[in-house]
Amino acid sequence: MRINEYNSLDEFIYEYDSGRRPSTETQGRKFMGIEFLYRGIYYRMCYEPAENEGEPRFYYVYVMHCESRGYPTADKFEVIGRYEKFQDLLNKFFIGGVPFKDVIMDDNTEILSQD
């Protein structure tokens, strides 16, 4: 039984490539971050703002350590990936030997939150 709400990789790409658009956009929903459960581990992917004006922004992937109080409360976030380009995140980042694009589309990946 499929629990993942995404029907296509294009749908995921549309929602997250370049992060959230200005509020005047009417083409559909856009997000900066997503939390998901994959193979019993909680993760967060987020398009973080630049540290300083004019510097590049990056897509980060974190392991959410939720051992003491359980999800959604994370004890700490561990950075496991950082990419400037969304396509690099999709194609060059692996979780347990699986490309991120396949992880996010896996039938058993549970989308927990989007912001």
Side-chain angles (χ1 to χ4, degrees):
M1 181 176 133
R2 182 175 173 80
I3 62 172
N4 191 330
E5 66 184 62
Y6 286 108
N7 296 310
S8 73
L9 186 58
D10 286 341
E11 181 183 355
F12 175 76
I13 291 169
Y14 175 79
E15 288 184 355
Y16 290 94
D17 191 16
S18 299
R20 189 175 305 202
R21 301 281 196 255
S23 61
T24 57
E25 178 164 319
T26 59
Q27 294 179 2
R29 60 191 198 163
K30 295 282 188 171
F31 300 102
M32 292 178 66
I34 185 171
E35 293 174 359
F36 59 95
L37 181 64
Y38 177 70
R39 295 185 178 172
I41 298 174
Y42 295 99
Y43 296 92
R44 176 169 178 78
M45 185 280 298
C46 187
Y47 189 53
E48 298 285 358
E51 290 184 24
N52 297 303
E53 186 71 30
E55 290 184 352
R57 296 176 69 176
F58 291 95
Y59 292 92
Y60 284 86
V61 182
Y62 306 90
V63 170
M64 298 175 64
H65 294 277
C66 305
E67 293 82 6
S68 68
R69 293 183 278 173
Y71 181 84
T73 303
D75 303 316
K76 72 176 186 171
F77 291 85
E78 176 186 353
V79 177
I80 59 171
R82 183 184 102 152
Y83 294 88
E84 187 174 349
K85 296 179 181 171
F86 192 69
Q87 289 300 318
D88 287 346
L89 168 69
L90 293 175
N91 297 307
K92 295 180 179 179
F93 178 65
F94 290 75
I95 295 176
V98 179
F100 185 77
K101 67 180 179 181
D102 295 337
V103 168
I104 208 66
M105 290 307 303
D106 187 285
D107 287 351
N108 296 307
T109 296
E110 183 178 359
I111 308 307
L112 302 169
S113 138
Q114 298 171 296
D115 55 67

